[in-house]
């Protein structure tokens, strides 16, 4: 039935790839992706700050219903990130402490909810990465419909099953399966360059000559008196 289906995931990034990305800030990765990909500023970390990196197991559900999320929890492999498009609605929570606790026992890599969560205090103290758009005490329904392992979109960012989903305190990002290696190489170089800048700042050696050069290039007139 259209809109009420469970698909098999055909491919997924490896645990080794996910681990490599976990050492690079999401902001650096975003920069090398031309700053054009983002899951939306509403999706904020609801946990203790642990970094998230793993292959996407996608879920699309109607707002306020978590039947398919329960099914996805049982299907997920260790390290998977369950990404749920619940329409961004904040009326009913899609997950809470109990489901998050179950996810931890299954060694799931994280949960992203384009919707609301509840039991915010317990999730905030937890090391399980959880990103959501809001918090409400109102619980979910369990009637469906929904789909598992289908293409979803969060604020315009398309996520296919098996794509790499990463997140830190700045937010989250999806890297398409076919682009993970090229993005990693560029992001690692960007991170190394920023670490050198940090060291230059600490040593009082930061080169800021580019600022005046850029202003000149743009035609800015600088009056000295």
């Amino acid at each position: 039935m259209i809109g009420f289906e469970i698909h098999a995931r055909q491919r997924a990034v490896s645990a080794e790839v996910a681990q490599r990305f976990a050492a690079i800030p999401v902001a650096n990765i975003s920069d090398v992706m031309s700053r054009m990909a983002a899951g939306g500023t509403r999706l904020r970390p609801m946990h203790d700050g642990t970094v998230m990196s793993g292959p996407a197991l996608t879920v699309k559900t109607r707002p306020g219903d978590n039947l398919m999320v329960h099914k996805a929890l049982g299907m997920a492999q260790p390290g998977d990130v369950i990404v749920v498009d619940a329409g961004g609605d904040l009326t009913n929570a899609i997950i809470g402490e109990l489901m998050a606790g179950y996810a931890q026992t299954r060694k799931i890599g994280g949960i992203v909810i384009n919707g609301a969560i509840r039991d915010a205090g317990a999730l905030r103290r937890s090391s399980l990465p959880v990103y959501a758009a809001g918090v409400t005490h109102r619980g979910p329904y369990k009637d469906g419909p929904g789909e598992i392992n289908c293409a979803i979109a969060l604020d315009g960012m398309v996520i296919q099953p098996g794509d790499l989903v990463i997140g830190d305190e700045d937010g989250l990002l999806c890297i398409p399966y076919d682009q993970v290696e090229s993005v990693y190489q560029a992001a690692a170089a960007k991170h190394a360059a920023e670490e050198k800048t940090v060291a230059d700042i600490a040593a009082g050696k930061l080169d800021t000559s580019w600022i005046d050069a850029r202003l000149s290039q743009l035609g800015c007139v600088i009056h000295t008196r």
Side-chain angles (χ1 to χ4, degrees):
M1 180 186 299
I2 294 175
F4 206 3
E5 299 178 282
I6 297 173
H7 308 275
R9 189 170 63 185
Q10 300 301 314
R11 61 186 187 179
V13 296
S14 68
E16 185 271 333
V17 166
Q19 185 175 14
R20 282 194 291 154
F21 271 91
I24 302 177
V26 170
N28 290 162
I29 301 168
S30 177
D31 283 349
V32 302
M33 294 178 72
S34 300
R35 304 172 180 135
M36 290 293 289
T41 56
R42 296 177 72 213
L43 295 173
R44 306 307 308 154
M46 300 288 180
H47 58 290
D48 71 353
T50 300
V51 171
M52 178 178 72
S53 183
L57 192 161
T58 60
V59 180
K60 187 174 181 64
T61 185
R62 73 178 178 91
D65 193 287
N66 74 354
L67 176 61
M68 284 302 201
V69 183
H70 278 280
K71 179 62 177 176
L73 285 172
M75 292 174 58
Q77 300 298 308
D80 280 352
V81 174
I82 297 176
V83 187
V84 183
D85 179 9
D89 183 79
L90 305 182
T91 306
N92 298 86
I94 299 298
I95 69 162
E97 180 181 10
L98 299 182
M99 294 176 74
Y102 179 56
Q104 283 190 297
T105 69
R106 294 188 52 77
K107 302 186 185 306
I108 288 171
I111 303 175
V112 178
I113 305 290
N114 186 21
I117 56 98
R118 68 177 180 178
D119 304 322
L123 268 59
R124 206 160 25 239
R125 294 187 293 271
S126 171
S127 61
L128 173 72
V130 173
Y131 291 78
V135 178
T136 179
H137 54 78
R138 297 174 66 177
Y141 301 100
K142 295 174 174 58
D143 303 307
E147 292 187 76
I148 296 176
N149 283 327
C150 60
I152 62 173
L154 306 182
D155 202 27
M157 183 176 71
V158 176
I159 303 175
Q160 299 279 357
D163 286 350
L164 181 64
V165 180
I166 57 175
D168 61 18
E169 292 181 334
D170 282 342
L172 60 96
L173 185 61
C174 174
I175 304 168
Y177 178 90
D178 292 327
Q179 298 177 25
V180 290
E181 188 57 38
S182 60
V183 170
Y184 175 77
Q185 296 299 330
K190 172 71 173 177
H191 184 44
E194 289 211 352
E195 287 188 317
K196 181 181 183 304
T197 299
V198 170
D200 287 345
I201 291 171
K205 298 178 180 178
L206 182 64
D207 180 7
T208 62
S209 61
W210 69 270
I211 300 172
D212 285 342
R214 181 62 173 157
L215 289 171
S216 177
Q217 180 186 30
L218 293 171
C220 178
V221 177
I222 301 176
H223 299 279
T224 60
R225 53 180 298 174

